[in-house]
Amino acid sequence: MTEKERELLNLLEKEGRMREEKIAKMLDVSEAEVKKTIERLEHDKIILGYSAIVDWSKVDVSETVTATIDVKVTPKRGVGFDEVAERIYRFKEVKALYLMSGTYDLSVVIEGKTMSEIANFVSEKLSTLDSVISTTTHFQLKKYKHDGVVFEDRDDDHRIVVSP
C-alpha cells in the first residue's frame, strides 16, 4: 500500500463524506485517481463501509441501552477463539466483538431496548454457548467521546469570574 493510499484512508476515516475533489487537492492527485483508488479499496474490502456518528441522546426517540460484556472462553484446538467468536458475532444484538489480552478473552458490545433485554441475551444466548466459561457485563451510562468525536457541548464557560 502506498503512502497516498494510507493518507486517503485516514481522510475517509475522519470524514467519510469528503468529496473526491477535496481529497484530490489535499493529496495532490487527480480526481480520477482518487475515484479509482476508492473503488479498488472498496472492492478489496479494505474500506468496509461508511457511517455517521450520531448523538442519539439529542434525538426524540427512545434510547437504546449499550453494554460491554467481558467473556472468558475455552478456545478449541485448531481454531482457537475464531469459532466461538463467529458464533457470538452472528447474534443480531452484537455491534462489536474484539479478542482481548488480559483477564477476559473477548469483549462484546451489544445494544438492546432495556437492561432486561441485555440480561436475557447474556443468560439465554451468550452464557449457554459451550465454550463460554464466564461473563461480566458493564452498562454504558454516558457517552463522552466516540471515534474521536466529543459528545458534550462546552461552548459557554459558566464559572464565576474571580479577580483579586
Side-chain angles (χ1 to χ4, degrees):
M1 177 165 288
T2 68
E3 184 62 32
K4 291 283 185 192
E5 289 171 332
R6 278 199 268 322
E7 288 178 42
L8 180 128
L9 289 171
N10 282 324
L11 290 172
L12 288 176
E13 189 174 44
K14 289 178 188 160
E15 177 57 58
R17 293 182 64 186
M18 190 178 295
R19 294 188 2 238
E20 291 171 0
E21 175 186 343
K22 185 175 181 180
I23 294 170
K25 285 180 183 175
M26 293 174 79
L27 298 178
D28 194 28
V29 297
S30 70
E31 283 184 59
E33 187 177 341
V34 169
K35 182 179 173 103
K36 181 181 167 188
T37 302
I38 290 173
E39 287 173 355
R40 184 180 52 75
L41 293 170
E42 289 172 344
H43 178 267
D44 292 346
K45 304 272 189 246
I46 293 170
I47 296 176
L48 299 174
Y50 302 88
S51 63
I53 300 171
V54 178
D55 187 349
W56 288 105
S57 68
K58 295 181 179 177
V59 179
D60 291 333
V61 294
S62 59
E63 291 188 53
T64 58
V65 177
T66 304
T68 302
I69 306 164
D70 297 328
V71 184
K72 191 167 195 72
V73 300
T74 304
K76 293 196 175 183
R77 186 176 303 275
V79 292
F81 296 101
D82 294 344
E83 185 178 286
V84 70
E86 184 176 345
R87 289 185 69 193
I88 293 170
Y89 71 61
R90 290 188 183 274
F91 290 118
K92 66 177 177 44
E93 298 89 345
V94 175
K95 301 300 173 197
L97 176 63
Y98 307 98
L99 178 63
M100 305 296 286
S101 64
T103 307
Y104 291 90
D105 304 307
L106 299 172
S107 181
V108 184
V109 179
I110 69 166
E111 288 182 356
K113 293 178 184 167
T114 63
M115 291 175 81
S116 145
E117 188 176 294
I118 290 174
N120 287 336
F121 170 81
V122 173
S123 64
E124 295 171 12
K125 293 181 180 179
L126 188 59
S127 31
T128 59
L129 296 175
D130 291 337
S131 298
V132 173
I133 298 169
S134 67
T135 64
T136 302
T137 304
H138 309 275
F139 288 96
Q140 183 184 83
L141 302 177
K142 183 176 179 180
K143 189 181 289 188
Y144 292 101
K145 186 176 182 178
H146 180 77
D147 282 345
V149 177
V150 176
F151 279 74
E152 199 167 302
D153 294 330
R154 306 211 94 216
D155 295 337
D156 298 330
D157 189 352
H158 297 288
R159 293 179 293 176
I160 298 172
V161 176
V162 178
S163 59

